[in-house]
Amino acid sequence: MNSYNAALAVDIAGIKMKTPVMAASGTFGFGVEYAGLLDLNQIGAVVVKGMTLKPRDGNTGRRIAETPAGMLNAIGLENPGVDRFLKEIFPQLSQYQVPVIVNIAGGTIEEYGELARQLANSGIAGLEINISCPNVKQGGMVFGTDPNSAAAVVGEVKKYAAVPVIAKLSPNVTDIVAMARAVESAGADAISLINTLLGMAIDVHSWRPVLGNIVGGLSGPAVRPIAVRMVWQVAKAVKVPVIGMGGIMTAEDAVEFLLAGASAVAVGTANFINPHAATQIAEGIADYLRQRGLCHVSQLVGQVRI
């Protein structure tokens, strides 16, 4: 893939990446778990799983269920906490030449700010604010569905952040453009979308919800048309870079998001099926560019013909 890097290299709000294909938060662990399966140095960026101030055990009961063309998850932000991440996990990940973006989640505005403060001089490349995770019982849904609350979180994080701040938007809203404009006005350096759609599955034999949390986040190819539509809407409405995600399984899927206006993409559910997805999709984008006689991936961004 090294021969493709010039055509694929992007700069997202100051985060320099070898390719526009990132590993999405919550689907790639902390990155080091995949180190024996693919070359982490060839990924655009690793967005680690959602991080909270204190360790979280996550939800009880069944957490994942397969659905037609997708999956439901209700992990509940299980993570070891920011202190252990910085002391034990990040030193392993920092050995690789790949930007590390930390996804942060909090139950209060102050918790988001404190997370940003503790991560400020750690050597990470960026922060992604999780204001939109649908399987968190406190905090996330409120912040992610109200423009004022979302803006308040972004503003608090920006007070302490020493790296670019990416606001990750929830699709579970009436007006995605209003949310995007709110976080941009509050200082977000980039916007990523979409997070998972709120869904539910019921076991028709037991008549009980499949997930222990009752509801969970729907991801995978089933959500891609919604994600492409929202990326297209947001990219037209804001000036900051947009990172598109939602059901990307192939290079063609990624190109669709780029044409809609995304400057980079993130691969999520595909990682569970194919650990090489992020690098293979990047290689496929490079092939696509060559076949079209294009010199750089930026020539695709926002070029949908309407």
Side-chain angles (χ1 to χ4, degrees), residues 228 231-232 235-236 240-244 255-264 300-304:
V228 171
V231 165
W232 174 68
K236 291 191 301 176
V240 297
V242 172
I243 301 165
V255 168
E256 194 174 358
F257 278 89
L258 296 169
L259 292 171
S263 296
L300 298 174
V301 177
Q303 295 304 306
V304 59

Side-chain angles (χ1 to χ4, degrees), residues 104 109-122 124 127 152-165:
I104 58 173
I109 291 173
E110 291 74 22
E111 284 184 15
Y112 282 99
E114 178 60 19
L115 279 161
R117 188 191 69 79
Q118 291 193 29
L119 289 160
N121 298 304
S122 60
I124 65 171
L127 291 172
V153 171
V154 172
E156 185 72 9
V157 170
K158 286 290 290 183
K159 289 180 185 177
Y160 302 97
V163 292
V165 172

